[in-house]
Amino acid sequence: MEEEIKKDPTVKEQEANDCGDEGVDGEHAAADTENEGAAEPGAGEENPAEGSSEAESAEEGAAGTEENPEQGSDKKDGLFKKKKKDKKDEQIEDLQDRLKRQMAEFDNFRKRSEREKSQMFDMGAKTIVEKFLPVIDNFERGLAAVPEEQKEDAFIVGMDKVYRQMLTELEAVGVKTIETAGQVFDPEFHNAVMQVEDESLESGTIAQELQKGYMYKDSVIRHSMVSVVN
């Protein structure tokens, strides 16, 4: 019995070693738990740092938003501001303005000179026509005095053709006779030299034409000399 109770020394050493190992393992486990506990506060300390970085970024964003309105206002001001013209552009505009004015003045001068030239030509033509009117009157008087039996003579026929040709040429340049037959007396075109009694005509009507009147375009060269019914 004593031999069974007694144990082998080697067995005792193994048990001691096993106990020692368990103690060591326990110590290691406790140390690990302590290390983990120490590590957790460290992780907690990193969060405030991250929070501070986020706060700084938020402040920078706010500052950016404060600067953005000023930049926007500067852009708007830049859009509405008038660009300053260069000296070359101003010179070009000045030259263009002068050119337009000179062209307008030249156009007015051209029109005025044409009008004056036309007036001078009309005055000259009117003067020449006035000098030819007595010649036409003499042709009319001479042809009216030819007897009926001599109107077929070659000389009389030739004179009549010359007279008609003169009237045609005067009419081509704008000369025409003033109508009097059956017309009411108009002092702008007629010159009354006598009054006559005629029951067949109304008062103020032209009874007879004593001398032909002529017009050059729209102006009267010579008034018609007439007799008017009283």
Side-chain angles (χ1 to χ4, degrees):
M1 293 297 291
E2 291 177 0
E3 291 179 357
E4 290 177 359
I5 293 168
K6 290 180 181 180
K7 296 182 180 179
D8 191 26
T10 60
V11 173
K12 292 180 179 179
E13 289 177 359
Q14 290 179 354
E15 291 177 354
N17 290 329
D18 292 335
C19 293
D21 291 334
E22 289 177 357
V24 172
D25 292 334
E27 291 176 357
H28 285 297
D32 292 334
T33 55
E34 289 176 358
N35 291 327
E36 289 176 359
E40 288 177 359
E45 291 176 0
E46 290 178 358
N47 290 329
E50 292 178 357
S52 64
S53 64
E54 291 178 357
E56 291 177 357
S57 63
E59 290 177 356
E60 291 177 355
T65 55
E66 291 178 357
E67 293 177 358
N68 287 330
E70 294 179 356
Q71 293 177 356
S73 62
D74 292 338
K75 290 180 179 178
K76 290 180 181 179
D77 294 338
L79 290 172
F80 289 104
K81 285 181 180 178
K82 293 182 179 179
K83 293 182 179 180
K84 293 183 178 179
K85 295 181 180 179
D86 296 335
K87 291 184 178 180
K88 292 182 178 179
D89 295 336
E90 291 179 354
Q91 290 178 355
I92 291 171
E93 290 181 356
D94 188 18
L95 292 174
Q96 288 178 348
D97 186 38
R98 290 183 181 179
L99 179 61
K100 289 179 180 178
R101 291 183 179 179
Q102 288 180 355
M103 290 178 66
E105 290 178 358
F106 178 76
D107 190 22
N108 293 330
F109 171 75
R110 180 179 59 81
K111 292 179 180 178
R112 185 171 60 253
S113 62
E114 288 179 356
R115 185 170 58 254
E116 291 176 355
K117 188 185 296 184
S118 178
Q119 291 176 354
M120 291 175 66
F121 177 80
D122 291 342
M123 290 175 64
K126 187 176 179 181
T127 302
I128 294 171
V129 170
E130 285 178 353
K131 291 181 178 180
F132 267 93
L133 291 181
V135 178
I136 294 173
D137 293 338
N138 291 330
F139 267 98
E140 291 176 350
R141 293 190 187 99
L143 292 172
V146 175
E148 290 291 334
E149 63 273 9
Q150 295 181 1
K151 287 184 179 180
E152 299 297 330
D153 293 346
F155 178 77
I156 301 300
V157 172
M159 296 297 290
D160 184 64
K161 288 182 178 180
V162 172
Y163 166 71
R164 294 182 184 278
Q165 184 178 4
M166 291 179 64
L167 292 179
T168 302
E169 293 299 329
L170 290 173
E171 187 176 358
V173 296
V175 179
K176 59 184 179 180
T177 59
I178 298 174
E179 297 292 335
T180 57
Q183 299 292 321
V184 179
F185 175 76
D186 188 351
E188 292 184 0
F189 302 102
H190 308 134
N191 183 17
V193 293
M194 65 174 62
Q195 293 181 350
V196 296
E197 298 290 339
D198 192 345
E199 295 180 357
S200 63
L201 297 175
E202 295 181 358
S203 177
T205 305
I206 296 173
Q208 185 182 2
E209 182 182 54
L210 304 176
Q211 188 181 39
K212 285 185 178 180
Y214 292 90
M215 292 182 64
Y216 175 71
K217 294 182 178 179
D218 295 331
S219 61
V220 177
I221 299 175
R222 187 177 73 181
H223 291 77
S224 296
M225 189 179 296
V226 297
S227 60
V228 183
V229 177
N230 189 5

